[in-house]
Amino acid sequence: EVQLVESGGGLVQPGGSLRLTCAASGFTFSSYSMNWVRQAPGKGLEWVSYISSSSSTMYYADSVKGRVSISRDNAKNLLYLQMNSLRADDTAVYYCARENTVVGVWYFDYWGQGSLVTVSS
Amino acid sequence: QSVLTQPPSASGTPGQRVTISCSGSSYNIGSNTVNWYQQLPGTAPKLLIYSNNHWPSGVPDRFSGSKSGTSASLAISGLRSEDEADYYCAAWDDSLNGYVFGSGTKVTVL
């Protein structure tokens, strides 16, 4: 059974840093690209970042570019999101999502349960 | 402000058909496939439709997707109370070099 479990969320002051972790199990983690998607309280979904299976390619949303870094450890089946210079508008539930791709087709087929990040003084 | 535009709400009575639109541009829907996600209250999103009109395993065929030009739509036929949820379209955007989601549509079963 595919499982994605996020951890590392919590309360952080504006300007602070936090690292989220997503533990993957039930599939060959090293074969899949992964993503982070967030959802501010009462708002819609916002894609945050992408990393390819081998870590050769990363993409970031403009809203987090320069402040956020995605990485992975295929030996440990872990996905990370390092967030720096956090702002109040970064407050959200952060989901990790597995990306399934066939030529020209992509979709997020499995999602974690989410980890809440609250940025407040 | 979301790159993909959806109506904020849609509603119907049990058994009715409800359609949700998703409007984009040539950079996203116009040149890439569209996926749809369902988010039940208090839960993580779930893949509902991928590659415009394909069902993942376990999704009933009451849900169907279509795409034409720079717009896509999701139809729910035989509406049920358990379909009350938020629905999001999504696509890759070639100009932003990232994925974009729709603003979300809340479906209410009257």
Side-chain angles (χ1 to χ4, degrees):
Chain A
E1 178 195 4
V2 171
Q3 280 200 317
L4 299 170
V5 180
E6 301 93 339
S7 61
L11 177 63
V12 60
Q13 291 190 336
S17 298
L18 207 61
R19 188 177 81 160
L20 300 180
T21 300
C22 172
S25 61
F27 65 102
T28 305
F29 181 68
S30 60
S31 296
Y32 290 86
S33 300
M34 297 293 295
N35 291 262
W36 288 97
V37 177
R38 69 183 181 182
Q39 186 170 35
K43 302 297 184 182
L45 300 173
E46 180 189 16
W47 170 79
V48 174
S49 185
Y50 159 96
I51 186 168
S52 63
S53 58
S54 63
S55 302
S56 60
T57 302
M58 283 87 83
Y59 296 117
Y60 300 94
D62 287 343
S63 58
V64 302
K65 204 170 288 182
R67 302 186 298 117
V68 159
S69 176
I70 190 171
S71 62
R72 63 191 295 163
D73 185 333
N74 285 346
K76 296 181 179 178
N77 291 350
L78 295 174
L79 173 72
Y80 303 104
L81 188 70
Q82 177 67 45
M83 299 186 293
N84 303 318
S85 303
L86 283 163
R87 313 186 301 222
D89 60 0
D90 293 317
T91 295
V93 173
Y94 285 74
Y95 297 101
C96 65
R98 189 181 86 167
E99 179 174 318
N100 207 335
T101 56
V102 183
V103 176
V105 174
W106 66 274
Y107 45 94
F108 300 159
D109 59 353
Y110 286 94
W111 298 64
Q113 86 289 349
S115 183
L116 176 62
V117 173
T118 303
V119 183
S120 175
S121 55
Chain B
Q1 195 152 349
S2 301
V3 173
L4 305 181
T5 302
Q6 297 179 233
S9 63
S11 62
T13 57
Q16 275 191 329
R17 176 184 170 94
V18 169
T19 301
I20 300 168
S21 61
C22 175
S23 178
S25 73
S26 59
Y27 295 112
N28 39 68
I29 295 178
S31 51
N32 296 291
T33 59
V34 177
N35 305 317
W36 289 89
Y37 299 90
Q38 177 193 58
Q39 187 175 31
L40 297 170
T43 70
K46 167 192 165 186
L47 179 66
L48 196 64
I49 295 288
Y50 71 94
S51 188
N52 305 328
N53 54 14
H54 292 79
W55 293 279
S57 174
V59 172
D61 58 7
R62 299 187 297 105
F63 296 92
S64 61
S66 64
K67 185 183 107 167
S68 178
T70 59
S71 294
S73 63
L74 173 73
I76 310 173
S77 59
L79 195 64
R80 297 184 177 186
S81 58
E82 57 261 38
D83 298 333
E84 277 208 343
D86 293 321
Y87 293 84
Y88 296 90
C89 57
W92 175 263
D93 190 291
D94 293 333
S95 68
L96 296 175
N97 240 5
Y99 297 112
V100 289
F101 283 92
S103 42
T105 298
K106 183 176 184 61
V107 169
T108 302
V109 181
L110 302 170

